[in-house]
Amino acid sequence: MNDRSTISKSFGSSARVAVIVGHKPISALDREQLSGVKKYMRRHRLQWRIALFQPSAPTTQVLSWRPDGVISCVAMDSAVFEVPVVHLGYRQLPDEAGMIYTDQKQIGTIAADHLFDRRFRSFAFLGCADKAWSALRQDAYVEALKQHNFACGQFDLSIRNEDVMPIKRRPTLAEWLAGLPDRTALFAVNDYLALEVLSICREIGRDVPKSLAVLGVDDVDFECELTDPPLSSVVNPMKSVGYEGGRMMAELLTGTFARSKRLSVRSEGVHVRKSTDVTAVDDLIVDEAIRYIRANLESCAGVEHVAKAIRVARSTLHRHFVQALGHSPLQELQRLRVQRAEELLLTTDLSMVNVAERCGFSDDMHLTRVFRAAHGVTPGTYRRQTLVEDGQASKP
């Protein structure tokens, strides 16, 4: 056994840590993870010596540097290093391997909730079933839609053999996209595929988001912002994954590790851009009102405020909501406030007072009263019950 595997607490602050990146060249997601590791090091004043290795680097090359620990963005046999190894990202690994990963099922559920909340009633999914993380997102997305009694059209871009690459299936994908019903909401399993969908839609003359809303995953800002239209995307919390990976490595190096070796990090939700910034209702007044509420939830004083903002009478606004959605604008306002509260409770450590303020409630008692009516429990109980899951990492 390598004598470096017995490490004192003082040694942990100046250890040699090999980092095996996930892509060559380093991808935007790799950079996010590495910035998370760096953030942990700075916050805890660690002077680790870091060496970056390409994903194809042979084990002997990594070992020749004599690392005290390894942080890997690719799947590998941890045992060959005889030092602590932490894997970043979802992998199918032995149970004893350390792993920090994004909650893939939560991403699928977030996508379904976001698109369902936009009042879509036709849904589609584009992914790669041969990838475990894609399959988890897909299963959760489809299951969430089933809870609302909706089916989902699906297109699989898995690489089934070396001869069939996804690019060669582009014409088939274009044909599938052209055949989707009007006002369909499509969830692509990552931004790469979502951007390909936007490109095809421009070629075939399909309007995004009016005819087809498109949602991706990863939220790489420069890619999502520069496309036409800008792409809505589920936030992939890779910086938090890297931060938690740094924490796990530090604890393993110093012998203080006492938690599960499988820790998941939750997404903070959807970064909404133009590709899904639409409400799939025919009533233009209702559509404008809901868009206004979403954009001004924190400052929205009530239904009268909304009516004045979109220049209609309150009675007119009420009538249109009941006809289009079957409930009042006040009920919709409260629903959107509770939905925002759910997101903040699960993805932040904000106090109840701050959650109430962010959601437009008058105070935390108002939040508690409305939230209990919607869920049967207080916001605090909801937070505790939902977050008590094995292997869920805290927000750094």
Side-chain angles (χ1 to χ4, degrees), residues 28 191 194-196 198-199 202 219-233 271-275:
D191 287 345
L195 292 170
E196 190 66 30
L198 294 183
S199 174
R202 288 193 294 270
D219 193 38
V220 178
D221 191 62
F222 64 89
E223 292 182 355
C224 294
E225 292 285 356
L226 291 177
T227 190
D228 181 28
L231 177 67
S232 292
S233 184
H271 188 158
V272 182
R273 298 184 181 88
K274 189 174 180 181
S275 71

Side-chain angles (χ1 to χ4, degrees), residues 307-329:
K308 287 182 178 179
I310 66 171
R311 298 181 178 84
V312 298
R314 178 168 180 163
S315 58
T316 300
L317 185 65
H318 182 90
R319 184 176 69 256
H320 279 257
F321 263 82
V322 171
Q323 290 176 347
L325 303 180
H327 59 248
S328 71

Side-chain angles (χ1 to χ4, degrees), residues 322-393:
V322 171
Q323 290 176 347
L325 303 180
H327 59 248
S328 71
L330 177 60
Q331 288 173 300
E332 183 67 12
L333 176 58
Q334 299 290 57
R335 186 185 74 82
L336 292 174
R337 282 176 171 163
V338 169
Q339 183 182 74
R340 178 73 59 82
E342 292 170 5
E343 295 173 1
L344 294 175
L345 289 168
L346 298 184
T347 61
T348 74
D349 295 323
L350 290 173
S351 68
M352 294 305 158
V353 172
N354 288 333
V355 170
E357 181 180 325
R358 295 276 190 93
C359 299
F361 291 104
S362 57
D363 53 37
D364 56 327
M365 293 182 65
H366 185 200
L367 163 66
T368 298
R369 185 169 65 253
V370 175
F371 198 94
R372 190 197 295 271
H375 288 289
V377 296
T378 66
T381 300
Y382 176 85
R383 174 182 266 170
R384 288 191 299 273
Q385 289 178 344
T386 308
L387 291 181
V388 177
E389 301 174 2
D390 289 339
Q392 188 172 114

Side-chain angles (χ1 to χ4, degrees), residues 98-358:
M99 183 168 68
I100 312 289
Y101 59 96
T102 302
D103 187 335
Q104 307 296 342
K105 292 183 178 180
Q106 186 222 9
I107 283 181
T109 301
I110 284 175
D113 289 345
H114 172 72
L115 296 173
F116 182 78
D117 182 56
R118 261 59 188 173
R119 302 289 171 182
F120 286 97
R121 296 299 179 263
S122 176
F123 301 90
F125 176 84
L126 174 64
C128 305
D130 58 340
K131 307 295 184 184
W133 50 269
S134 177
L136 288 171
R137 294 175 186 179
Q138 178 178 0
D139 290 347
Y141 177 70
V142 172
E143 181 59 33
L145 293 177
K146 283 183 179 178
Q147 299 300 317
H148 297 292
N149 298 315
F150 286 104
C152 175
Q154 300 171 49
F155 193 97
D156 181 20
L157 275 174
S158 297
I159 304 173
R160 294 184 174 83
N161 57 61
E162 295 181 358
D163 303 301
V164 183
M165 296 296 289
I167 192 64
K168 294 183 178 180
R169 302 182 63 195
R170 198 173 189 275
T172 308
L173 175 59
E175 183 179 353
W176 178 71
L177 290 172
L180 291 174
D182 194 39
R183 292 192 176 182
T184 290
L186 183 146
F187 173 42
V189 77
N190 58 25
D191 287 345
Y192 173 78
L193 293 181
L195 292 170
E196 190 66 30
V197 169
L198 294 183
S199 174
I200 292 173
C201 285
R202 288 193 294 270
E203 293 173 10
I204 65 177
R206 183 139 203 188
D207 186 277
V208 177
K210 291 182 180 179
S211 175
L212 182 70
V214 181
L215 176 66
V217 181
D218 288 335
D219 193 38
V220 178
D221 191 62
F222 64 89
E223 292 182 355
C224 294
E225 292 285 356
L226 291 177
T227 190
D228 181 28
L231 177 67
S232 292
S233 184
V234 182
V235 177
N236 195 343
M238 301 307 280
K239 185 174 290 187
S240 295
V241 168
Y243 185 93
E244 291 295 334
R247 186 206 303 270
M248 181 181 284
M249 176 54 65
E251 293 176 351
L252 289 171
L253 288 170
T254 58
T256 60
F257 189 77
R259 301 178 295 159
S260 167
K261 284 193 174 182
R262 297 299 173 93
L263 298 177
S264 65
V265 180
R266 297 179 70 89
S267 168
E268 296 179 11
V270 176
H271 188 158
V272 182
R273 298 184 181 88
K274 189 174 180 181
S275 71
T276 64
D277 191 15
V278 65
T279 302
V281 294
D282 293 324
D283 194 307
L284 296 180
I285 289 177
V286 172
D287 177 56
E288 185 178 1
I290 292 177
R291 289 199 267 176
Y292 178 82
I293 292 170
R294 286 201 184 102
N296 301 276
L297 197 57
E298 185 172 341
S299 60
C300 184
V303 175
E304 188 69 36
H305 183 169
V306 177
K308 287 182 178 179
I310 66 171
R311 298 181 178 84
V312 298
R314 178 168 180 163
S315 58
T316 300
L317 185 65
H318 182 90
R319 184 176 69 256
H320 279 257
F321 263 82
V322 171
Q323 290 176 347
L325 303 180
H327 59 248
S328 71
L330 177 60
Q331 288 173 300
E332 183 67 12
L333 176 58
Q334 299 290 57
R335 186 185 74 82
L336 292 174
R337 282 176 171 163
V338 169
Q339 183 182 74
R340 178 73 59 82
E342 292 170 5
E343 295 173 1
L344 294 175
L345 289 168
L346 298 184
T347 61
T348 74
D349 295 323
L350 290 173
S351 68
M352 294 305 158
V353 172
N354 288 333
V355 170
E357 181 180 325
R358 295 276 190 93

